[in-house]
Amino acid sequence: MAINIVIGDLVDKNIEMAERKGIGHPDTICDYVTEQISIELSKYYLKEFGAIMHHNVDKALLIGGQSKPAYNGGKVIKPISLIIAGRATHQVRDKIIPVEEFAVETAKKWLRENIRHLDVSRDVQVISKIRPGSKDLVELFNRFGKGEIPLANDTSFGAGFYPTTFLQDTIIKIEELLNAQSTKNMFPFIGEDIKVMGVKDYSKNYFTIAIAMIDKYIADLNDYVSKIKQLKEFVLTTLLLTDTTIYINTADDYLHESIYLTVTGTSAESGDDGQVGRGNRINGLITPYYPMSLEATAGKNPVSHIGKIYNYFAMDLSRAIVKNNFADEALVFIVSQIGKPINEPQLMHFKLKNIRADKKQIEGLAKEKLSGLNKYWKRIIYV
């Protein structure tokens, strides 16, 4: 067995790996659903009370169902369970807010709009266990409603980098291409659960793609094999990829007719589970060769939870440093202390390549961006 082992320098950028979990992956579903609940709750609070109330709906567990895929169409025999948990403001003065119902309906709406072959009324159970927030965290949050600088409700850090690499950009392009509506019109057998792993070595790029194929569009094994070949050629030619090898559904065993068939287009239908925070970072990638926080940003409030805000901020600031021609590459790290103003981090650390600006210019840019953190929530909920 040939095993590719590379021993190189710490700063060697000829070797890289990165990953992206597509919109139908169980982990991504959990992230998107909880984030959408936070966004819709924030908009509701703003409309009803003129301010975003305290909430962190950042816990979700997807328990996979059971299905029987079959050529020309199978069926789901046990539904997916999606359990949402967290904290939110349930009452403001005399007004009761139906948070649980709100969360369930938002989750179902997102699923209906994004997993096109999933029968949400029959094949998914959504359970909400969102409780009121703890008194101390609610009090930290209340400064926002008074127009003051919010206080950080956690001790955590954010990390970001710019620019992205060719490998990272291509991973995103592959997933977005395969999940584009125009592609689905051409190849309706492509499900939404698409995962792309990219590997770069000294001579070539390799992309391993897992695609949940929808059974009702597949006539038999030969048809399946033909469609996999079609997709491989489609990706290579559409994205004009050279010095690239693409693998699709490498767990398939054609001899024993064990292939990646699904009824709904997501592996969540049959035993694959999901959880918030196990998937993509806010730049849409999992990047072990580049800095990233393991903080789950999805569902956290956009006002005072620096586990969310600082990750967005670090990404935006690293981009601004490069776009302003202060450096060719920027890595940004920022850490908070609970109870301190969000615009007064304990530490900001920059790692820059080919610095063109003096220290004061970079500090000035950082302080300018920090001064706007009290309004940063707009950048998050009004995407």
Side-chain angles (χ1 to χ4, degrees), residues 6 15 41 68 109 125 136 163 165 180 186-189 218 236 239 247 304 318 332 336 342 345 356:
V6 178
I15 306 296
L41 263 181
K68 284 189 174 179
K109 182 175 185 287
Q125 297 173 336
D136 56 339
T165 66
M186 292 169 53
F187 307 113
F189 49 83
I218 310 293
L236 284 168
L239 297 180
Y247 308 92
S304 66
S318 63
V332 176
S336 70
I342 61 171
R356 297 190 180 90

Side-chain angles (χ1 to χ4, degrees), residues 61-76:
L61 174 65
L62 186 152
I63 303 167
Q66 290 181 5
S67 65
K68 284 189 174 179
Y71 297 126
N72 299 309
K75 61 183 178 179
V76 176

Side-chain angles (χ1 to χ4, degrees), residues 180-191:
Q181 186 57 56
S182 58
T183 302
K184 294 291 198 282
N185 293 339
M186 292 169 53
F187 307 113
F189 49 83
I190 301 175

Side-chain angles (χ1 to χ4, degrees), residues 327-374:
D328 287 342
E329 185 177 344
L331 312 182
V332 176
F333 307 85
I334 178 170
V335 65
S336 70
Q337 291 178 305
I338 190 169
K340 300 296 184 183
I342 61 171
N343 61 351
E344 296 178 16
Q346 185 180 23
L347 172 70
M348 292 186 72
H349 182 202
F350 301 89
K351 292 184 177 182
L352 308 177
K353 179 181 178 182
N354 297 337
I355 302 172
R356 297 190 180 90
D358 61 40
K359 185 178 178 181
K360 288 194 177 298
Q361 282 180 292
I362 296 170
E363 286 181 353
L365 177 65
K367 289 176 180 177
E368 176 192 341
K369 299 291 185 184
L370 279 171
S371 68
L373 269 188
N374 61 319

Side-chain angles (χ1 to χ4, degrees), residues 39 129 140 195 203 249 252 272 315 339 341:
I39 289 171
K129 298 288 184 180
L140 285 178
K195 177 178 169 181
S203 61
N249 294 356
D252 287 347
D272 198 359
M315 182 179 69

